[in-house]
Amino acid sequence: MELIQTVFEVFLRTYPGFLEATLTTLKITAVALVLGTVLGLIFALMKISRSKILQTIANLYITIIRGTPLIVQIMFLYFGITSLIVLSGFWAGAIALGIHNGAYIAEIFRGAIQGIDKGQREASSSLGMTRSQSMRRIVFPQALKRSIPPLGNQFIITLKDSSLVYIISVPELFAMANREAAQSFQSLETYLVVGAYYLVLVMIFTYLLKLYENKLNVDK
Amino acid sequence: MLKGSNIHKSFGDLEVLKGIDLEVAPSEVVVLVGVSGSGKSTLLRCFNFLERINKGTIEIDGQVIDPKKHKLSEIRAEVGMVFQHFNLFPHMTVLENVIEAPIIVKKMKKADAIVLGKQLLEKVGLSDKADVYPSKLSGGQKQRVAIARSLAMEPKVLLFDEPTSALDPELVGEVLAVMQQLAQEGMTMVVVTHEMKFAKEVADRVIMLDEGRIIESADPATFFENPSHERTKQFIQLVD
Ligand SMILES: Nc1ncnc2c1ncn2[C@@H]1O[C@H](COP(=O)(O)OP(=O)(O)OP(=O)(O)O)[C@@H](O)[C@H]1O
Ligand SMILES: [Mg+2]
């Protein structure tokens, strides 16, 4: 009972700062997702292209990104790149997260594109469409629809992964929680509160995704 | 109209077509039969350039088609294909399925394409389904949409690969009726089917494919009453 009370007190005391930090978390996640989706699309196209060179580049990217820890990638980008150009912690973190996501999203897109029945491409070829016309008009729209559930999943992972940028001092939720816990010595309560923030964000996002999926199903 | 000479096609070590000569005259309806694996689908797919032939030539309207010189997309637009599993575009309505290729490939104006599309849907008896999605249609309706979609490109030849094999028996008739009507209107057609009644009544010529070779080619009466090859006799008994 006492715990509930102190948790509530911590919540009340921290929410001005935590709400601002939530905004930072959301911003860094949004940038990472946009960048990740663009990169994902580019690398998925490279992977399914007929050029061996493009395929190899895409495979290399995906292998390296998926084979190394995100936190290493963040540190590498922040300290590695900032020796060449000046990049704020926020942008370094967002770009690292975006590049990281790109590899996973590329695989999502590739899987969705290759999962479209071969008959669809044959039918469009037989009607005289070129490869790119059939991709653009027939395969992509269907693949995109199929990508949405796994993309939603990836978005949720990104939201939670964004906590790792605390390591380069971006004032997002987790960094704030660390600071708060250290100052107040109320670690248990603070991490419970910050966990709840993430949970609520994820639940809101899951709900929105569900709405969107339902809408797609109704349309079809 | 459509002429294949000495067509050879292998998949790896497996030689599927072993020198096919087949000429289809304008407005002719050729029915292609043969046991499973004899190469019927492969032959149709070669005619549509979905498969590259290893040897031989394919002519359309007297012009030899060289996949290296010609744009295959342009050739394919002249040779329509109707598939066993319809392959309609599920993310488009029935009308959108029909007008997609004329708009994208032929650069037809959308308004004109819609007029054409509606005409074709009326022809296959599906005017009332223009705005529904394929998932809402029966198999027979799907196949009729697929036929309308092919017709929208005004192909010179229409190839059918077992168009009724995936259908419930009671839906076969409506698709065959549309095909019969096309034949009467003078469409040039090559049809792979197990519907022997269709072959007898609609075909100008029936061809038997066996292990990658044409072993019998005759008008339906001769083909069914008086076949020359033992394998053909066996086949006719089998399907009867
Ligand atoms: N893409 C492919 N790769 C390898 N082998 C293939 C391929 N397509 C067809 N074959 C083989 O070629 C042979 C002929 O196949 P095809 O589909 O042309 O026969 P079919 O006469 O249409 O038979 P069915 O009546 O079963 O449809 C079969 O042995 C088949 O396994
Ligand atoms: Mg077949």
Side-chain angles (χ1 to χ4, degrees):
Chain A
M1 277 306 108
E2 211 178 309
L3 178 64
I4 295 178
Q5 204 182 340
T6 51
V7 166
F8 194 64
E9 279 168 20
V10 168
F11 171 75
L12 285 181
R13 192 180 67 238
T14 56
Y15 84 85
F18 272 21
L19 281 185
E20 211 184 311
T22 302
L23 216 61
T24 306
T25 289
L26 287 176
K27 271 194 225 155
I28 208 165
T29 306
V31 173
L33 289 178
V34 171
L35 181 60
T37 305
V38 172
L39 289 175
L41 194 59
I42 293 171
F43 282 100
L45 288 177
M46 284 166 69
K47 252 197 113 154
I48 60 169
S49 77
R50 283 180 288 196
S51 151
K52 272 271 175 295
I53 301 170
L54 293 182
Q55 282 175 21
T56 310
I57 295 173
N59 281 331
L60 207 64
Y61 164 71
I62 291 170
T63 309
I64 291 173
I65 295 299
R66 297 213 301 187
T68 54
L70 174 55
I71 200 157
V72 174
Q73 293 163 14
I74 293 170
M75 296 295 269
F76 175 82
L77 201 81
Y78 186 57
F79 293 107
I81 296 292
T82 42
S83 64
L84 303 175
I85 51 165
V86 183
L87 213 54
S88 70
F90 177 88
W91 283 102
I95 292 171
L97 268 174
I99 292 173
H100 180 78
N101 261 291
Y104 289 90
I105 294 178
E107 286 293 59
I108 290 174
F109 282 145
R110 183 195 58 79
I113 290 168
Q114 291 184 339
I116 301 298
D117 180 19
K118 197 161 115 287
Q120 293 288 308
R121 235 166 297 174
E122 291 193 341
S124 33
S125 299
S126 81
L127 290 166
M129 289 189 212
T130 60
R131 193 175 134 94
S132 76
Q133 285 171 337
S134 125
M135 275 290 167
R136 206 157 29 82
R137 302 285 309 176
I138 308 302
V139 178
F140 285 159
Q142 295 183 59
L144 195 63
K145 224 165 170 177
R146 280 203 201 178
S147 306
I148 284 166
L151 276 179
N153 208 24
Q154 188 60 33
F155 290 3
I156 288 169
I157 293 172
T158 307
L159 179 69
K160 294 185 292 178
D161 279 355
S162 70
S163 58
L164 285 173
V165 301
Y166 87 94
I167 197 92
I168 52 173
S169 309
V170 181
E172 46 70 63
L173 262 177
F174 186 61
M176 286 299 273
N178 284 337
R179 193 191 307 167
E180 182 63 34
Q183 281 171 3
S184 67
F185 299 106
Q186 289 178 300
S187 297
L188 176 64
E189 293 86 348
T190 310
Y191 290 118
L192 268 175
V193 168
V194 79
Y197 274 87
Y198 281 107
L199 184 61
V200 168
L201 290 178
V202 168
M203 282 168 67
I204 292 172
F205 194 79
T206 309
Y207 176 72
L208 293 178
L209 196 70
K210 194 107 225 147
L211 281 188
Y212 186 65
E213 275 176 39
N214 287 346
K215 184 182 162 299
L216 283 185
N217 286 338
V218 172
D219 283 354
K220 207 194 142 205
Chain B
M1 174 67 55
L2 178 66
K3 182 176 175 189
S5 311
N6 195 28
I7 297 178
H8 285 258
K9 173 71 193 171
S10 305
F11 294 108
D13 287 341
L14 180 71
E15 193 177 23
V16 177
L17 299 178
K18 302 168 183 167
I20 301 278
D21 293 297
L22 174 60
E23 182 165 5
V24 184
S27 296
E28 192 179 18
V29 177
V30 173
V31 164
L32 208 55
V33 300
V35 297
S36 182
S38 53
K40 308 180 295 293
S41 298
T42 305
L43 181 58
L44 286 194
R45 293 166 60 81
C46 289
F47 277 142
N48 197 242
F49 300 92
L50 288 174
E51 305 285 358
R52 286 279 177 92
I53 59 178
N54 301 117
K55 208 172 131 189
T57 56
I58 293 173
E59 288 171 44
I60 295 175
D61 272 349
Q63 193 186 17
V64 175
I65 306 302
D66 179 352
K68 290 196 193 73
K69 284 200 215 115
H70 293 87
K71 276 186 78 176
L72 288 186
S73 53
E74 284 167 15
I75 308 299
R76 289 198 192 103
E78 301 191 338
V79 183
M81 180 113 168
V82 175
F83 301 86
Q84 182 175 359
H85 295 287
F86 330 123
N87 299 343
L88 293 179
F89 306 135
H91 59 302
M92 296 180 177
T93 65
V94 164
L95 184 64
E96 286 166 352
N97 263 274
V98 177
I99 65 178
E100 177 70 10
I103 292 174
I104 297 299
V105 178
K106 284 194 171 169
K107 315 288 178 212
M108 191 184 273
K109 281 205 198 74
K110 188 164 181 193
D112 297 339
I114 289 175
V115 173
L116 171 70
K118 287 189 169 163
Q119 271 171 13
L120 289 171
L121 287 178
E122 192 178 334
K123 189 186 187 102
V124 299
L126 289 171
S127 297
D128 54 328
K129 300 290 184 193
D131 296 322
V132 306
Y133 283 88
S135 57
K136 298 279 186 299
L137 300 179
S138 73
Q141 292 170 333
K142 282 182 191 162
Q143 196 58 296
R144 286 186 282 150
V145 174
I147 293 172
R149 181 177 68 175
S150 290
L151 289 174
M153 288 302 288
E154 296 172 325
K156 292 177 176 157
V157 189
L158 208 44
L159 311 173
F160 293 82
D161 192 359
E162 303 200 29
T164 59
S165 295
L167 301 180
D168 291 336
E170 72 272 18
L171 301 177
V172 169
E174 63 191 57
V175 172
L176 292 181
V178 168
M179 290 167 62
Q180 181 154 18
Q181 187 196 336
L182 286 180
Q184 275 158 6
E185 288 169 6
M187 187 79 211
T188 310
M189 296 161 49
V190 181
V191 184
V192 173
T193 184
H194 295 299
E195 296 294 331
M196 291 304 133
K197 192 160 166 287
F198 180 83
K200 280 175 197 158
E201 287 171 8
V202 183
D204 297 304
R205 190 147 54 107
V206 185
I207 286 176
M208 169 90 181
L209 212 57
D210 189 58
E211 293 181 351
R213 291 197 174 81
I214 290 177
I215 60 168
E216 190 100 38
S217 171
D219 61 276
T222 314
F223 187 93
F224 288 104
E225 307 308 329
N226 195 14
S228 58
H229 206 284
E230 195 53 39
R231 297 277 290 176
T232 317
K233 284 178 201 157
Q234 286 169 1
F235 178 81
I236 293 167
Q237 272 169 0
L238 205 74
V239 292
D240 258 351

